[in-house]
Amino acid sequence: MGHHIGNIHTSRHWAQHCNDLIRRVCDLYPGSFAPVCQLPQSPGASIEAAVRELERCVVELGFVGCNLNPDPSGGFWDGPPLPDRHWYPLYEALCELDVPAMVHVSAACNLNFHTTGSHYLAADTTAFMQLLTADLFADLPSLRVVIPHGGGAVPYHWGRFRGLAQDLGRPPPEESLLGNVFFDTCVYHQAGIDCLLRVIPADNILFASEMVGAVRGIDPRTGHHYDDTRRYLEAADLGDEDRHKIFEANVRRVYPRLQADPRSAA
Amino acid sequence: MGHHIGNIHTSRHWAQHCNDLIRRVCDLYPGSFAPVCQLPQSPGASIEAAVRELERCVVELGFVGCNLNPDPSGGFWDGPPLPDRHWYPLYEALCELDVPAMVHVSAACNLNFHTTGSHYLAADTTAFMQLLTADLFADLPSLRVVIPHGGGAVPYHWGRFRGLAQDLGRPPPEESLLGNVFFDTCVYHQAGIDCLLRVIPADNILFASEMVGAVRGIDPRTGHHYDDTRRYLEAADLGDEDRHKIFEANVRRVYPRLQADPRSAA
């Protein structure tokens, strides 16, 4: 990532090297990791290099998904929004290869934004609203998108998004988006996880935790790491079936190549 | 508002006219409204015109607070963050006059952002994180700031903000911010309001609803307007004392001129 650095040439080489390293890590720990690639993006650049790197990673290296940066400028938001035709070649490749994209920005270099404290969460919310106001999934019904950090502000404001869709004469987000959009569980306290689980159907929630993530400390209130999200899910009011969906079944459905690739023991 | 239109000259006249009209509306319905002013801001302009208009509104017209736009560019975020010295003359005037500022952006003119669906919520989150990483309230301990829309993504991610403060070697937000920062209740569903009430102390929550707000429709699930936030608060698990704080006592504390001005019957 760090797409704001250099140009598309820099990003292409950097992405290739990083993805090759990711493949090596996954080969060293096949029971722990499955590879997801970064894409060579750069402000103002064509998306073609990203399509080629996605194909290389999935077809040649057995990757199961990718990370798509909706703002390669790093907090200046001067590129086209996600439903723009600019991105369609990548979306078509994702559908063709049957892999999902996590929509996740990289470092903010705009002084107004703290990378992990506001840019990430704002980008998640921005991406969701871009998808809510467009017909991307009518065009590409098999495209699958994961929004990290529990969907940014989205579940907390689910009534707002339902109401905005209604005012705009669009179908409810449950109908227009939840066949294609998934949220992870990177929300670092019990009340947040409980809100996520109460609002978003279990079919749309994918377990995620962190390994050297945004928050590294131990919560003095609980004595456990803030980002030990499994504990919050285990303490939540969840039935066995929903728990199985969130911890395993959904991710196998959204990332079908997780099972197909013989190199991934997971 | 609409600070991205014209220049500081345009904004000064527009703000004066709007504020004069607000005074007239409040005179017509003194039991329903108390006046809060917009400020003449403009991208790249000095904050001096805002200081003068704030003083005119509070001293001459009996206003009880103001709205401060943290991004007068309308979604390009090319100005200084809130803790920057740029804003200090306004903060000093707010303290001197004993009135709070609601931190609220205006329309987005960046194609990536939907005004009410993502720009508002992102700005709330951005403002909070700017305050969390600075010493503004150590410099100005009597400054009071209201963050709308239930704090954007903040309560849903309260663990993240607590953990980020800890990792950064800063005091917990409960200590460093909650003496000065308040959240309103413009969250349009029960699960969101319940999350807000569970996470943020009742002393820091101010009742707010909308009159021609972001979402105007009726929720088919409840048969009531999405933005009829009083219903969610009445249905919430709240004691009498906390309910009184949220509906009345806090706002009288944060906006002390509400009582002082004889023109406001409220």
Side-chain angles (χ1 to χ4, degrees), chain A residues 150 156 166 174 189 221 226, chain B residues 150 156 166 174 189 221 226:
Chain A
Y156 177 51
Q166 186 174 315
E174 291 86 350
H189 64 147
R221 289 188 192 170
Y226 287 98
Chain B
Y156 177 51
Q166 186 174 315
E174 290 86 351
H189 65 146
R221 288 188 191 170
Y226 286 98

Side-chain angles (χ1 to χ4, degrees), chain B residues 141-198:
Chain B
S142 65
L143 181 63
R144 299 184 299 283
V145 162
V146 181
I147 300 186
H149 321 108
V154 173
Y156 177 51
H157 285 284
W158 195 242
R160 185 179 193 86
F161 291 98
R162 289 181 57 237
L164 283 168
Q166 186 174 315
D167 285 356
L168 293 165
R170 300 192 67 85
E174 290 86 351
E175 288 173 28
S176 62
L177 297 184
L178 291 190
N180 305 82
V181 176
F182 303 85
F183 300 94
D184 81 5
T185 62
C186 281
V187 177
Y188 302 150
H189 65 146
Q190 191 67 49
I193 288 286
D194 290 348
C195 179
L196 171 69
L197 296 174
R198 184 171 164 191

Side-chain angles (χ1 to χ4, degrees), chain A residues 22 212 217:
Chain A
I22 288 167
V212 194

Side-chain angles (χ1 to χ4, degrees), chain B residues 5-16:
Chain B
I5 297 170
N7 55 26
I8 188 64
H9 183 77
T10 326
S11 279
R12 211 176 66 236
H13 286 289
W14 176 242
Q16 286 170 356

Side-chain angles (χ1 to χ4, degrees), chain B residues 107-121:
Chain B
C109 41
N110 181 323
L111 275 181
N112 279 282
F113 304 134
H114 184 278
T115 296
T116 55
S118 59
H119 186 45
Y120 281 15
L121 303 176

